[in-house]
Amino acid sequence: MSNTYSLLIRGGKVMLPEGMQQVDIAVDGEKIVEIGPSLSGSADREIDATGKVVFPGTFDGHVHFDEPGRTEWETIKDGSAGLAAGGGTTFIDMPLNSSPCLLDKEEFQKKYDIASHDSYTDFGFWGGLTPDNLDRLEELAACGVVGFKAFSCYSGIPEFKGIDDYSALKGMEIIKKLGLPLMVHCENDALTAKLGAEQAAAGRDDAWAYFAAHAPITEIESITRMITFAEETGVKLIIAHASLGKSIDIINAARARGVDVSVETIGQYLILTDEEVAALGPVAKCSPPVRSKENQPLMWAHLLAGDIDYVDSDHSPSDPSLKEGVSFMKAWGGIASVQHTLTGLLTHGYHARKVSLARIMKLTCENMPKSLRIEGKGKIAVGYDADFALIDLNREYILKADDILYKHHVSPYMGTRFKGAVDETILRGQTIMRDGKIIGTPRGRMIMCKG
């Protein structure tokens, strides 16, 4: 007796946890129920994936979709559409730059209500840690946040304060008891302020002045200090968007002595250099800044060695007026890039540097949900959600504004050539993006950590 499925994907090269295999995938409802060569049976829908790689849907653990309150910057609907266009099926939204920020259960409910109605992909939330909400961390955990996010510096949003040493220590103690991780944006606030003042006094406000104000020591010192607090409290620490090879050296040394610390980086630190950012202007401004061409190969070496745990987008858009017609120093410090994490790694990693697809899969799909104890996401395996990105590894395209599905059609990669493209994205057994177009209506739901 033959089986009947809701979906069969046949003929593709499938990225399984154990490596790439030429197998079929059977889906019943929202779950993967069988994987194997030449599966028998029929399905309500079959996809011929011949010539394509079937990847897990990517899991972006670091986006700023800005709702509620700053819909002129980005929306959950548009941001999740951009994620889906790049092969993504799950995002974790940051507690800022929405307004108010996600610092208590009331703001959690507002954000949840919007996402459950508007998101094309599945979603989760980071709660905020600031000096002002230490008494709200337990209630946020009860709401279902996957962890907490803090800044050791000015966040760019006055209502989301950076942590001082006291709130870092006390916050980590509470978060450790809650069994959740803490992600920290690491830059030394006092140093960046003083170094920035020096540049202003010298009459400089260009990209090189910004790089000088956010010199490597500002990141290195802060990472070292946050690791010290994490070592004392035992909290699981995630270093957000490390930009320096030396930062990862420090993290590796901490891991070697038993500190529970992992590290994220972002595509721009692998793809761009400071000289290119200076030429591009504010569209490529981010914090920490993109570093020198001498640093870039160090980042790739760490990625190839397995020292980097996650590559996320840190999609941090703004109203275009905050990037246009202002000096580099005054421009908003965030890059819009949620659509191009996977294709950027295929282009600059797989094709240009022989980074394996297995490594890219771990960085963009598998490692973050594993770290956050989220079941059913990040792998193509029986019992997991039927989340897939169908990839044409050799399709090339030049990025144009019309290709972008997130709110503001800007990117530091505009006009550049990518090799490796997502043809179709499937969320829990249903296609949500095909050929650069969103299919259907929003159906995302919130993901939860294992208890």
Side-chain angles (χ1 to χ4, degrees):
M1 181 176 177
S2 63
N3 293 318
T4 301
Y5 307 103
S6 55
L7 173 65
L8 274 169
I9 302 176
R10 298 190 183 276
K13 295 180 178 178
V14 180
M15 283 303 305
L16 301 173
E18 56 269 28
M20 185 184 290
Q21 296 184 24
Q22 187 92 35
V23 290
D24 298 341
I25 306 170
V27 176
D28 187 22
E30 299 184 340
K31 301 290 185 180
I32 300 167
V33 294
E34 194 170 355
I35 300 170
S38 303
L39 293 179
S40 62
S42 60
D44 298 333
R45 179 185 175 215
E46 289 197 12
I47 295 176
D48 181 3
T50 302
K52 297 178 184 178
V53 171
V54 184
F55 222 65
T58 65
F59 189 108
D60 195 329
H62 192 153
V63 304
H64 298 264
F65 285 167
D66 301 338
E67 281 197 278
R70 285 191 171 92
T71 55
E72 72 277 16
W73 290 25
E74 183 60 282
T75 66
I76 288 172
K77 189 170 187 177
D78 290 335
S80 64
L83 176 69
T89 52
T90 310
F91 67 85
I92 310 295
D93 197 33
M94 286 292 157
L96 72 167
N97 302 311
S98 56
S99 181
C101 301
L102 203 166
L103 298 174
D104 56 42
K105 64 182 179 182
E106 290 81 12
E107 301 313 320
F108 179 95
Q109 189 63 48
K110 292 175 186 177
K111 188 176 283 284
Y112 171 81
D113 289 345
I114 296 167
S116 61
H117 183 267
D118 285 355
S119 182
Y120 287 106
T121 67
D122 287 347
F123 58 87
F125 305 113
W126 294 98
L129 166 63
T130 75
D132 298 331
N133 79 325
L134 292 171
D135 60 341
R136 297 298 186 98
L137 302 182
E138 291 184 10
E139 73 180 46
L140 283 169
C143 289
V145 298
V146 302
F148 294 89
K149 170 70 180 296
F151 283 70
S152 69
C153 57
Y154 177 58
S155 71
I157 301 295
E159 58 266 40
F160 196 98
K161 296 179 182 177
I163 50 173
D164 53 27
D165 286 350
Y166 176 81
S167 52
L169 176 64
K170 293 301 178 181
M172 287 188 190
E173 289 174 347
I174 296 167
I175 293 167
K176 168 62 177 177
K177 291 178 181 178
L178 294 171
L180 294 173
L182 173 65
M183 180 184 281
V184 183
H185 177 132
C186 291
E187 292 184 276
N188 182 298
D189 194 47
L191 274 178
T192 57
K194 290 289 189 180
L195 292 172
E198 284 184 358
Q199 297 298 312
R204 301 184 61 211
D205 62 0
D206 61 1
W208 297 102
Y210 180 72
F211 301 152
H214 293 256
I217 186 59
T218 64
E219 178 177 319
I220 291 165
E221 186 281 333
S222 181
I223 287 175
T224 303
R225 186 158 41 89
M226 289 301 111
I227 286 173
T228 300
F229 284 120
E231 191 167 14
E232 176 68 20
T233 61
V235 77
K236 179 178 179 63
L237 177 66
I238 301 173
I239 301 299
H241 42 56
S243 70
L244 291 159
K246 187 170 182 180
S247 294
I248 301 173
D249 291 337
I250 293 167
I251 293 162
N252 279 344
R255 287 193 276 218
R257 64 178 187 267
V259 182
D260 189 358
V261 55
S262 55
V263 59
E264 169 201 64
T265 197
I266 311 299
Q268 58 256 26
Y269 302 124
L270 300 165
I271 295 170
L272 300 174
T273 67
D274 55 2
E275 293 178 352
E276 291 168 323
V277 169
L280 287 165
V283 70
K285 179 183 176 181
C286 60
S287 182
V290 170
R291 306 297 184 176
S292 69
K293 62 182 178 181
E294 291 79 17
N295 178 69
Q296 190 184 76
L298 302 179
M299 296 296 291
W300 282 107
H302 278 300
L303 185 146
L304 284 162
D307 299 331
I308 294 171
D309 299 287
Y310 332 102
V311 178
D312 294 317
S313 70
D314 190 11
H315 180 70
S316 185
S318 68
D319 185 306
S321 66
L322 300 179
K323 289 276 198 182
E324 298 171 357
V326 295
S327 70
F328 198 99
M329 283 288 275
K330 292 181 179 178
W332 174 255
I335 290 177
S337 58
V338 72
Q339 200 165 321
H340 303 106
T341 301
L342 179 56
T343 192
L345 284 173
L346 293 174
T347 302
H348 298 275
Y350 175 75
H351 286 293
R353 293 175 174 85
K354 309 303 180 186
V355 178
S356 72
L357 292 178
R359 174 74 62 199
I360 293 172
M361 179 177 68
K362 286 185 177 296
L363 291 165
T364 60
C365 307
E366 185 177 334
N367 287 351
M368 184 62 81
K370 182 178 179 181
S371 291
L372 299 178
R373 296 180 291 110
I374 294 168
E375 294 185 332
K377 293 292 187 184
K379 295 181 184 179
I380 297 177
V382 171
Y384 275 62
D385 284 358
D387 296 346
F388 311 111
L390 275 59
I391 299 169
D392 183 338
L393 279 179
N394 295 308
R395 179 159 71 87
E396 298 188 31
Y397 68 98
I398 295 173
L399 181 63
K400 305 183 298 296
D402 289 346
D403 298 328
I404 291 173
L405 299 191
Y406 51 81
K407 187 174 182 68
H408 298 294
H409 297 182
V410 296
S411 169
Y413 310 121
M414 198 71 71
T416 63
R417 183 178 296 275
F418 290 95
K419 185 174 184 180
V422 179
D423 290 342
E424 186 166 349
T425 305
I426 297 169
L427 172 68
R428 290 184 275 110
Q430 293 189 24
T431 295
I432 57 172
M433 189 284 300
R434 185 187 301 120
D435 299 330
K437 306 293 183 183
I438 292 296
I439 305 295
T441 57
R443 57 184 295 268
R445 66 185 181 202
M446 192 171 100
I447 49 90
M448 298 286 289
C449 302
K450 184 179 179 181

